[in-house]
Amino acid sequence: MPVRSDLSFADSLTGDRRRRFYEGHRSIALLMILIVFLSPFAGLYVTGLFGAVLGLLLSIVAYYFTPYVWLKLGG
């Protein structure tokens, strides 16, 4: 079942929609896995504990917002 491109922001936050998006876009899913796991370590390396926490928060936000942004940009 394809993901609708007229998806609202609230709909894009549901787990089912996000799962279907990442199943349909395997390369983006792999990239997001790398971002989610490596961002805290990059932040830790650059600025210490504050950077690690910021990297973790940004990776979580990216995980949730990527399907919405990708579909709105026409991907």
Side-chain angles (χ1 to χ4, degrees), residues 34-50:
L34 290 173
I35 289 172
V36 166
F37 287 117
L38 295 178
S39 289
F41 294 112
L44 180 64
Y45 178 75
V46 173
T47 61
L49 184 59
F50 176 73

Side-chain angles (χ1 to χ4, degrees), residues 2-75:
V3 179
R4 296 182 339 218
S5 62
D6 61 340
L7 186 66
S8 73
F9 179 71
D11 288 340
S12 71
L13 294 177
T14 62
D16 184 50
R17 301 273 186 186
R18 201 171 44 254
R19 181 184 51 80
R20 285 191 294 168
F21 173 81
Y22 284 122
E23 285 177 354
H25 299 88
R26 296 286 183 179
S27 59
I28 295 174
L30 180 60
L31 178 65
M32 289 310 300
I33 289 170
L34 290 173
I35 289 172
V36 166
F37 287 117
L38 295 178
S39 289
F41 294 112
L44 180 64
Y45 178 75
V46 173
T47 61
L49 184 59
F50 176 73
V53 172
L54 187 62
L56 178 66
L57 293 175
L58 289 177
S59 67
I60 291 170
V61 168
Y63 175 74
Y64 281 96
F65 286 149
T66 297
Y68 177 74
V69 171
W70 183 263
L71 293 174
K72 286 298 178 183
L73 292 177

